[in-house]
Amino acid sequence: GQVPVICIDGPSASGKGSLAAAVAAQLGYAVLDSGALYRIAGYAACARGIPLHADHAPELAQVVQEMDVAFVGETILLGGEDISLKIRSDTGSRNASLISAIPAVRDALLQFQRDRARLPGLVADGRDMGTVVFPQAPLKVFLTASAEKRAERRYKQLISQGLSANMTTLREELHARDLRDSTRAVAPLQPAVDALSLDNSDIGIEAAARQVLSWWEERR
Ligand code: C5P
């Protein structure tokens, strides 16, 4: 397409969200937090009491199609209810990962994600932005970070949001989620063939953003 899109994919808590926000702010682009969509989907399905299992794919896809979601600044409303914090909990993460493995659910969210690409541009973060949703994007970044750094990051994030967190549980949950996200049959977490890798373990957000912006200058 003609709308410039920068994809940032990578495992849980690698820092995609902060990096996407920093890069988007520099360029005046919008951000697509695709993980939030799967978190909202998981929440909506659970609220209806539908098991997050492929046996229920048609009902799950329907719930996703009918979700009444509004993004108001940092706040996410589902049917008018503020679910911004709830979807960030451990349960919210696990539910997102479970529902996201169901192909009919991914299909139901595909067009919505593509429609976020508007001028002047979009920074999209997730697992399959570069491989599935925006395969033509001129810049695809695969962001990694050590397991320990990612657990630490998620810990701080949860605590700062006033949520409870336990490092041991977090490590286990992150590992289980990454394994599920990378081994699933549909849109597994994997770098696009033309993705540039960036290790975010030991550099700050400013340095990471600078790297992405300099790649963008070369490629756009
Ligand atoms: O990025 P975040 O941790 O918020 O994503 C939550 C979950 O949503 C991931 O563990 C993954 O299972 C799923 N997801 C996905 N595809 C994306 C973004 C997130 O399957 N593009």
Side-chain angles (χ1 to χ4, degrees):
Q2 298 180 340
V3 179
V5 176
I6 299 176
C7 298
I8 302 179
D9 289 304
S12 315
S14 52
K16 302 183 298 291
S18 316
L19 180 57
V23 170
Q26 282 292 320
L27 297 168
Y29 290 4
V31 174
L32 169 66
D33 172 4
S34 61
L37 297 177
Y38 290 99
R39 288 170 183 273
I40 298 164
Y43 185 90
C46 285
R48 301 271 190 98
I50 305 170
L52 306 179
H53 190 277
D55 291 349
H56 297 266
E59 294 150 85
L60 292 170
Q62 183 161 1
V63 167
V64 169
Q65 254 142 22
E66 291 169 356
M67 294 191 307
D68 165 28
V69 184
F71 298 89
V72 185
E74 298 287 284
T75 305
I76 296 173
L77 301 170
L78 178 67
E81 180 195 358
D82 182 352
I83 59 165
S84 324
L85 282 184
K86 284 182 194 159
I87 59 168
R88 301 291 160 193
S89 67
D90 278 355
T91 308
S93 302
R94 192 168 49 243
N95 289 344
S97 176
L98 290 172
I99 200 170
S100 74
I102 298 168
V105 168
R106 305 197 71 85
D107 286 346
L109 288 171
L110 190 58
Q111 197 55 47
F112 178 88
Q113 295 174 83
R114 291 191 174 148
D115 288 344
R116 297 309 101 192
R118 310 233 176 98
L119 290 171
L122 181 72
V123 184
D125 84 76
R127 305 291 184 292
D128 64 340
M129 298 299 96
T131 50
V132 176
V133 180
F134 301 109
Q136 313 294 342
L139 176 59
K140 302 171 184 175
V141 178
F142 197 77
L143 191 68
T144 57
S146 69
E148 196 53 32
K149 279 283 156 62
R150 295 191 289 118
E152 257 173 48
R153 206 169 271 147
R154 185 48 56 95
Y155 180 85
K156 287 183 188 150
Q157 198 177 49
L158 290 170
I159 297 295
S160 77
Q161 290 170 335
L163 296 166
S164 67
N166 170 289
M167 270 300 264
T168 311
T169 318
L170 264 178
R171 266 191 219 104
E172 286 166 8
E173 281 278 351
L174 277 179
H175 180 71
R177 191 144 67 94
D178 287 341
L179 193 67
R180 190 164 47 230
D181 291 348
S182 3
T183 55
R184 68 186 176 202
V186 57
L189 170 66
Q190 59 178 30
V193 285
D194 51 349
L196 300 173
S197 276
L198 181 57
D199 187 332
N200 197 28
S201 307
D202 300 312
I203 60 173
I205 176 77
E206 290 85 4
R210 245 181 279 126
Q211 177 61 261
V212 173
L213 289 165
S214 99
W215 281 336
W216 188 234
E217 279 309 309
E218 294 164 14
R219 302 203 149 205
R220 61 186 301 180

